[in-house]
Amino acid sequence: MAHVPATVRRAQIIEAATAVIARDGVAGATTRAIAREAGVTLATLHYVFATKDDVLVGVLETLMGKAKQTIEQSMRQSDVTRSGSREGLAGALHGLAQTYWAMIQDDLGSQRVQYELTLHALRTPQAADMGRSLYGYYLDAAETLIRDACERTGETVHAPVRDLAHLTVAGIDGILLQNLVLADHEQARRSLDNLVRAVLALAASGPGEEAG
C-alpha cells in the first residue's frame, strides 16, 4: 500500500469530519464515525490527531482559512476608491455582505458546521477559544474593511468603527442563520441590503442619535 503523507491524511480527515458534523452534529462526530467517513482506520486518525477536540480545531482552522481567503479576495476587489461621501463605505459593506452570502450559498454544509462548532465551544470550556477565534477574525476583517474604505475616500463616521463592525457581523450572522432555517433567499438578500442601510445610518448619525 502506498504511503500517504500526514498532510494529505490530515486534509482527508478534516473533510470527513466536516461532512459528519454537518450531517450528525458535533455529538455524532465520534472519532470512529470520522475515521469511517474518511476511509481510514481509527489508529490512523489518532496518529494524525490525538483527540476529537484536535480534529474539531482542525476543522475550524480550515473553515477560517477558507473564509479569510474569500474575504481578503473580496476586499482586494472592492471598489472603495470612487468619489462621493458615502459610496466608498456603502460599496465596501455591500461587498462584504455579498461575500458572506456567496460563502453560505456555495457551501451550506460548512455554514452548519460553523454554527455547530460555535455551540460546542460554548458548552465546552476547553474549546472556548474556537468560538472566540472565529468571531474575532470576522470582527477584525469587518473593521479593517470599514477603516480602509473611509481612509481611501476620506469619509467620516460618527460611531466607533468597532461598533459598526459588531453590528455588521451580528446582522450578517443572524440573517444567514435565519436563511438556513427558512430557506427564503429573496428575503435574505433584502435583509442584507437593509442591514447595510442600518450600518450606514449608524455611521452617519452616531450612537444614540436619530439619523437625519
Side-chain angles (χ1 to χ4, degrees):
M1 181 179 295
H3 172 71
V4 178
T7 53
V8 175
R9 284 293 190 211
R10 185 178 191 278
Q12 291 174 342
I13 293 168
I14 287 174
E15 182 178 357
T18 302
V20 174
I21 295 169
R23 185 179 65 238
D24 303 324
V26 173
T30 63
T31 53
R32 192 175 299 278
I34 294 169
R36 184 167 54 249
E37 183 80 19
V40 301
T41 65
L42 192 58
T44 297
L45 184 148
H46 283 299
Y47 176 78
V48 181
F49 294 99
T51 66
K52 173 180 172 175
D53 275 344
D54 290 336
V55 179
L56 298 182
V57 170
V59 171
L60 183 60
E61 287 175 346
T62 298
L63 293 179
M64 286 180 62
K66 290 179 180 178
K68 182 176 181 180
Q69 183 178 18
T70 302
I71 292 170
E72 288 181 350
Q73 182 178 1
S74 175
M75 290 170 67
R76 288 194 298 269
Q77 294 174 348
S78 178
D79 181 14
V80 294
T81 59
R82 292 174 295 172
S83 60
S85 62
R86 188 53 57 194
E87 287 196 6
L89 180 56
L93 290 172
H94 276 293
L96 183 64
Q98 292 307 313
T99 294
Y100 278 101
W101 174 254
M103 284 168 56
I104 186 174
Q105 291 305 299
D106 289 344
D107 192 352
L108 293 171
S110 290
Q111 190 66 27
R112 288 194 294 269
V113 169
Q114 176 179 309
Y115 288 124
E116 287 279 354
L117 289 177
T118 301
L119 292 174
H120 172 72
L122 289 175
R123 294 190 296 264
T124 311
Q126 60 266 36
D129 284 343
M130 292 197 302
R132 283 195 291 265
S133 296
L134 180 65
Y135 281 96
Y137 170 72
Y138 287 151
L139 287 168
D140 289 345
E143 183 175 356
T144 297
L145 188 72
I146 293 168
R147 289 189 185 281
D148 185 61
C150 293
E151 288 174 2
R152 292 193 186 190
T153 61
E155 296 176 48
T156 299
V157 296
H158 299 281
V161 174
R162 193 68 173 181
D163 285 358
L164 298 177
H166 269 281
L167 178 58
T168 300
V169 172
I172 291 173
D173 198 41
I175 291 166
L176 296 185
L177 177 57
Q178 186 181 75
N179 187 61
L180 277 176
V181 176
L182 301 179
D184 188 341
H185 302 332
E186 291 304 317
Q187 180 59 62
R189 291 190 184 97
R190 290 196 299 273
S191 294
L192 287 171
D193 287 341
N194 290 333
L195 172 64
V196 171
R197 293 188 187 97
V199 176
L200 290 173
L202 178 60
S205 66
E209 300 178 17
E210 293 293 331

